[in-house]
Amino acid sequence: MSTEQPRWQRFDRRRRIGRFLAVLTAAVVVIASWQFMDIGAVDPNTVPREIADLLTRMYPPDVAYTPQIIGPLIETIHIAALGTVGALVLSLPVALLAAENTTPNAATFWLGKLIVTVSRSVNTIIWALIFVVTFGSGPLAGAVAIAFRSVGFLGKLLGEEIEEIDFGQVEAVRATGASSLQLLLYGILPQVKPALIGLAIYRWDINIRDSTVLGFVGAGGIGVQLFQSVNAFAWQSTAMILLIILGVVVVTEGLSAYTRGLVR
């Protein structure tokens, strides 16, 4: 009788083959993409030299340029705030359509999913280009672009939160003869309010960062100053703009984390 102990293996033979094929497929895709783009080899010796040259041109940052940045920076914050508020207003009905337990029928369910998908599939810059053509250059186009891009994010996550609510509470409100609006206000919103506030703050944090580059396509904000300084090769002014953007992002990230902690 054999006393040999069976050898433990994390994966069986079928899973090992599957993982090997997955890695092989990924490698083939990467190599094929590299060949298709005809990138070629990059001389690693030139990278540190070019980075050092750019940093030398940026140093020291042009502190005297700061007063010209404050106005566009405030405009950027307003764009993000207005875009987030607009997205909240638009995303609530979208979330109700995209949630299986509140959507009226299959057609409205897929309509909600379509809106979420379209919004999330189009980058903020592309939305900004569309609305710059529609409304003209300026912060309005930026705010609307931020709102439309955020609807998919908020609508998807809020819809998932609505699907997890206790529907018995909604039925109890309905039993009192409440209207559809009262069902929303007293049966659904109280259960998703913490998630709604947390998601809105998180999205505002993301929108601050997105708003900093909308000026590249004429949608207002500090991106206009950044685009102009880069085009003029004013690297010291560019460094000052980047430092201020970094500072704003760090501050908003801290505020976002702190506020989300309060509503948990």
Side-chain angles (χ1 to χ4, degrees):
M1 181 177 180
S2 174
T3 59
E4 183 179 353
Q5 295 293 328
R7 188 177 64 175
W8 180 85
Q9 292 181 332
R10 184 179 178 186
F11 302 110
D12 58 21
R13 185 169 181 271
R14 179 181 175 183
R15 293 188 65 183
R16 289 200 304 273
I17 293 174
R19 288 164 67 86
F20 171 76
L21 291 176
V23 172
L24 180 62
T25 301
V28 170
V29 169
V30 170
I31 294 171
S33 299
W34 187 278
Q35 293 292 330
F36 177 80
M37 292 188 294
D38 194 24
I39 295 176
V42 178
D43 185 0
N45 296 321
T46 64
V47 176
R49 185 175 69 245
E50 294 299 330
I51 293 176
D53 179 63
L54 180 60
L55 293 177
T56 301
R57 294 174 187 229
M58 286 184 165
Y59 183 83
D62 187 4
V63 180
Y65 188 64
T66 304
Q68 300 182 50
I69 304 173
I70 300 302
L73 178 64
I74 294 173
E75 186 176 78
T76 296
I77 295 172
H78 287 166
I79 288 172
L82 289 175
T84 304
V85 171
L88 275 175
V89 173
L90 294 173
S91 65
L92 189 55
V94 171
L96 292 171
L97 291 178
E100 292 183 346
N101 55 347
T102 56
T103 193
N105 51 58
T108 56
F109 174 75
W110 287 110
L111 174 62
K113 292 295 186 183
L114 177 64
I115 295 172
V116 166
T117 302
V118 170
S119 171
R120 294 171 65 239
S121 300
V122 179
N123 189 273
T124 309
I125 291 291
I126 306 302
W127 281 121
L129 281 169
I130 293 171
F131 291 115
V132 163
V133 173
T134 305
F135 300 116
S137 300
L140 175 60
V144 177
I146 288 290
F148 270 68
R149 179 64 177 85
S150 302
V151 164
F153 176 90
L154 293 174
K156 173 180 172 57
L157 296 182
L158 189 57
E160 292 174 355
E161 289 290 334
I162 292 174
E163 289 179 342
E164 299 297 323
I165 65 173
D166 177 12
F167 216 76
Q169 182 174 327
V170 180
E171 293 298 332
V173 175
R174 194 197 305 274
T176 65
S179 64
S180 298
L181 179 60
Q182 290 171 324
L183 282 177
L184 174 63
L185 293 177
Y186 301 110
I188 298 175
L189 278 183
Q191 298 190 64
V192 300
K193 184 170 69 173
L196 176 62
I197 296 172
L199 289 171
I201 295 169
Y202 181 50
R203 188 65 214 186
W204 172 74
D205 178 32
I206 296 172
N207 288 342
I208 287 286
R209 281 169 275 176
D210 285 351
S211 299
T212 59
V213 296
L214 294 182
F216 276 73
V217 294
I222 200 171
V224 175
Q225 305 296 120
L226 182 60
F227 181 69
Q228 290 175 351
S229 64
V230 170
N231 273 355
F233 301 103
W235 297 116
Q236 292 177 325
S237 299
T238 301
M240 195 66 232
I241 295 173
L242 293 177
L243 285 175
I244 289 179
I245 290 175
L246 176 62
V248 170
V249 169
V250 169
V251 170
T252 56
E253 176 70 25
L255 287 174
S256 173
Y258 174 74
T259 312
R260 288 202 307 271
L262 293 178
V263 299
R264 283 175 185 163

